[in-house]
Structure formats: structure tokens, C-alpha cells
Amino acid sequence: MSHTRTATTIFNVDFLRGIAALAVLVWHYQHFFYPSAGDSLAVADRPLQPFYPSLRWLYDYGANGVQFFWVLSGFVFFHAYRSRENISFKKFFINRFSRLYPLHFITLLLIALLQIFSQYAVGHQQIYPFNDFYHFILNIFLASHWGFQKGYSFNAPSGRYR
């Protein structure tokens, strides 16, 4: 396979990953219309969301973009690591953890601060209702969806789709 063809293939895959990420972004946007933490919109209220007629498909099915993104990312990982025949599990784990955990931790801290601010400013937290110390510890150890949780907390997608 030529280098140009490979670069074009990866560009196309990255373009599709961008489309999948956009779908997930639009789907998550509806969380900002929840009346309070844990209370989702009724199906009848969905048309109240911005640009709903044009973005209906993304509002209704955008969450499927996560699985599509994973499939495409698996292809990219395979392509990146196939040229490294002797990469150990330990090296792979360290590389992945060092890329993912700092973003997870920073996002967790940011969401925790925003939830505190929301409680103070509007009298309730946003989107997910279980934002206490117990769930914070679960999130720190990437265990927010291992069966110990009482429900969604903090940045739930980071644990739900990991």
C-alpha cells in the first residue's frame, strides 16, 4: 500500500470520526434543556430544542455516534500499532492511560466545580444527580460504572462509554 493511499485512508477515517463526534456533541446538547439533574425532557418537549427540525436525527440518534467513533478508532489504533510488532501490553497501557486519564481528571474537577456553582446559583445541580464525595471517588478511580454507583454522576459519559 502506498504512503499516499494510506494517508488518504486515515484522513477519510478521521473525517468520519469528526462526523461521529459532532453527532455525539449535538445529542449531548439536549442535556442543557433538562429541568433539573436527572429529569430528562419528555419526548413531546423535544421539538423545543434549537434547530430541532433540521437536527432531529442527531438529537434522536446522535448517541450511536459513540459506537461508530469506537469502531473507527479501533481501525486507527490497529493501523498505528501494526507497524510496531513488539509493543508490550504494559507499554500500550501506559501510552493509553497517559493520554486518557489527565483529560478525565481535569474534566472531573471542572464538572465538580460547575456542579457546586450550579447548586449555589440555581438551587440544583445539572444533568446528573449523584454528584457527592462517594461518586467523586468512584470517578477518580475510573469506577463510576462498575456497579457500585447509585446512578449517573459528574461526567457520566466518561465512565459509561469507556
Side-chain angles (χ1 to χ4, degrees), residues 1-157:
M1 185 183 296
S2 72
H3 179 69
T4 304
R5 182 177 169 109
T6 303
T8 303
T9 302
I10 295 298
F11 173 78
N12 291 338
V13 170
D14 282 341
F15 177 77
L16 290 173
R17 285 174 52 184
I19 297 295
L22 181 63
V24 173
L25 177 73
V26 171
W27 186 82
H28 278 104
Y29 185 73
Q30 64 190 309
H31 288 120
F32 294 106
F33 291 86
Y34 283 12
S36 65
D39 295 334
S40 61
L41 284 174
V43 174
D45 293 334
R46 282 185 149 181
L48 299 174
Q49 298 172 105
F51 307 108
Y52 185 79
S54 300
L55 299 175
R56 179 181 180 171
W57 190 84
L58 294 175
Y59 277 126
D60 293 345
Y61 302 106
N64 294 322
V66 172
Q67 287 79 13
F68 185 55
F69 187 88
W70 283 348
V71 169
L72 295 173
S73 295
F75 175 80
V76 170
F77 287 143
F78 171 78
H79 181 74
Y81 286 109
R82 82 177 165 151
S83 62
R84 300 178 188 171
E85 296 175 15
N86 294 325
I87 188 165
S88 68
F89 175 77
K90 180 181 177 182
K91 180 71 171 168
F92 175 80
F93 178 82
I94 290 170
N95 287 344
R96 293 301 299 149
F97 188 81
S98 67
R99 287 189 65 181
L100 296 175
Y101 193 78
L103 179 60
H104 168 77
F105 187 70
I106 290 168
T107 304
L108 176 60
L109 291 177
L110 179 63
I111 296 297
L113 291 172
L114 289 171
Q115 292 290 23
I116 292 168
F117 176 76
S118 176
Q119 184 69 43
Y120 174 77
V122 297
H124 62 82
Q125 295 182 358
Q126 302 294 313
I127 306 171
Y128 304 118
F130 296 99
N131 301 307
D132 53 23
F133 183 72
Y134 173 75
H135 287 89
F136 186 81
I137 296 300
L138 290 177
N139 275 271
I140 283 179
F141 291 104
L142 302 170
S144 61
H145 284 76
W146 286 11
F148 305 115
Q149 75 279 2
K150 296 176 186 168
Y152 292 132
S153 63
F154 296 99
N155 190 7

